């Protein structure tokens, strides 16, 4: 039995290419682990707020000193982190939006990247606290970034990998449907990416 956490970041609902790719990854995982449980964290229907002073002051002050507002901020962040910790497998749908991840996903990482929860520092430097997890990234983009002249702009997938590596998760597989704005490629890119999904 596997607990799967599906993190969704495209607001485009049923026409979203990254959702289609992510859903196909989930289906393949379920074929392999038939009794798995999927939990969805749709960042577009319940968006994580943009980090402000109240959030930062909460994250960097002792829990004993928290006001009731800070307690609820802390609980919200802790609940997101608990979802990550409970998952054996994490699937992130991430389209390329303006050479980055969607703002919803960036805001989510601001609430999950917390010392003492997802990583810590000791004499040897940073250490991830989320171990033994598998991460799948379902990436979609208008242009092509995995090869060719725009590879230097490949900022989305490496960023997500870096965040999770910092959390201690280094077992990552990436599925890409790229060139979704390029005639001649766009017609088959998503279909090919879905066909190429392999669950290890
Ligand atoms: C707001 C926005 C920004 C985008 N920025 C880029 C970009 O910087 N580079 C790129 O290759 N494609 C870009 N695209 C195209 C998307 O990455 C592509 O259409 C992707 O499949 C969208 O995923 P979705 O359908 O799941 O939302 C952008 C699309 C939108 C809507």
């Amino acid at each position: 039995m596997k607990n799967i956490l599906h993190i969704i970041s495209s607001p485009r609902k049923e026409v979203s290419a990254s959702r289609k790719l992510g859903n196909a990854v989930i289906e393949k995982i379920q074929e392999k682990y038939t009794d798995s449980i999927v939990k969805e964290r749709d960042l577009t229907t319940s968006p994580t707020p943009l980090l402000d002073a109240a959030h930062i002051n909460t994250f960097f002050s002792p829990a004993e000193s928290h006001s009731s507002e800070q307690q609820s901020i802390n609980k919200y962040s802790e609940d997101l982190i608990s979802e990550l910790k409970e998952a054996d497998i994490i699937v992130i749908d991430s389209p390329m939006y303006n050479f980055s991840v969607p703002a919803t996903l960036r805001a989510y990482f601001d609430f999950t990247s917390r010392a003492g929860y997802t990583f810590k520092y000791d004499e040897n430097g940073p250490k991830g606290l989320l171990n033994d997890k598998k991460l799948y990234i379902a990436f979609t983009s208008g242009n092509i970034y995995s090869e060719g002249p725009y590879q230097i702009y490949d900022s989305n997938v490496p960023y997500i990998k870096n965040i999770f590596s910092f959390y201690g998760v280094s077992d990552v597989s990436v599925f890409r449907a790229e060139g979704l704005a390029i005639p001649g490629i766009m017609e088959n890119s998503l279909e090919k990416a879905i066909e190429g999904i392999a669950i290890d």
Side-chain angles (χ1 to χ4, degrees):
M1 208 277 283
K2 298 281 183 191
N3 284 318
I4 306 167
L5 177 62
H6 187 190
I7 301 172
I8 297 162
S9 66
S10 169
R12 298 191 334 120
K13 307 280 183 252
E14 57 282 340
V15 296
S16 156
S18 62
R19 284 181 192 242
K20 286 180 187 164
L21 187 57
N23 286 339
V25 174
I26 296 278
E27 272 176 32
K28 292 268 174 161
I29 296 170
Q30 286 179 307
E31 277 171 24
K32 179 162 181 178
Y33 302 107
T34 46
D35 54 354
S36 52
I37 296 168
V38 182
K39 183 164 191 189
E40 267 191 11
R41 170 59 57 180
D42 187 336
L43 299 173
T44 70
T45 51
S46 53
T48 310
L50 289 182
L51 201 61
D52 65 16
H55 304 133
I56 295 169
N57 291 338
T58 301
F59 296 161
F60 291 93
S61 60
E64 312 82 74
S65 69
H66 285 169
S67 65
S68 59
E69 185 207 1
Q70 288 176 317
Q71 282 171 7
S72 60
I73 290 169
N74 201 39
K75 182 176 182 318
Y76 176 70
S77 161
E78 285 183 341
D79 286 348
L80 293 180
I81 292 166
S82 294
E83 271 182 2
L84 281 173
K85 290 197 161 170
E86 284 159 17
D88 304 298
I89 301 173
I90 300 161
V91 178
I92 300 188
D93 307 353
S94 179
M96 173 81 96
Y97 280 180
N98 298 310
F99 303 107
S100 185
V101 296
T104 48
L105 190 53
R106 177 65 181 78
Y108 173 80
F109 291 140
D110 281 336
F111 276 72
T112 56
S113 303
R114 292 184 63 190
Y117 291 88
T118 43
F119 66 92
K120 69 173 185 180
Y121 280 101
D122 62 22
E123 314 74 48
N124 302 314
K127 187 177 182 330
L129 298 176
L130 301 185
N131 301 312
D132 299 326
K133 295 186 192 304
K134 172 78 194 188
L135 172 67
Y136 292 97
I137 302 173
F139 171 74
T140 58
S141 57
N143 199 353
I144 294 172
Y145 301 97
S146 56
E147 59 183 16
Y150 290 92
Q151 205 172 13
I152 194 170
Y153 293 83
D154 190 30
S155 48
N156 182 315
V157 168
Y159 169 67
I160 298 172
K161 279 183 162 181
N162 285 344
I163 289 264
F164 275 86
S165 167
F166 200 69
Y167 292 175
V169 178
S170 51
D171 186 358
V172 184
S173 295
V174 180
F175 304 112
R176 294 174 181 251
E178 300 183 303
L180 291 171
I182 302 176
I185 294 174
M186 63 199 285
E187 296 80 4
N188 300 315
S189 173
L190 182 59
E191 200 181 346
K192 272 194 191 162
I194 289 174
E195 276 169 16
I197 295 169
I199 304 302
D200 45 15

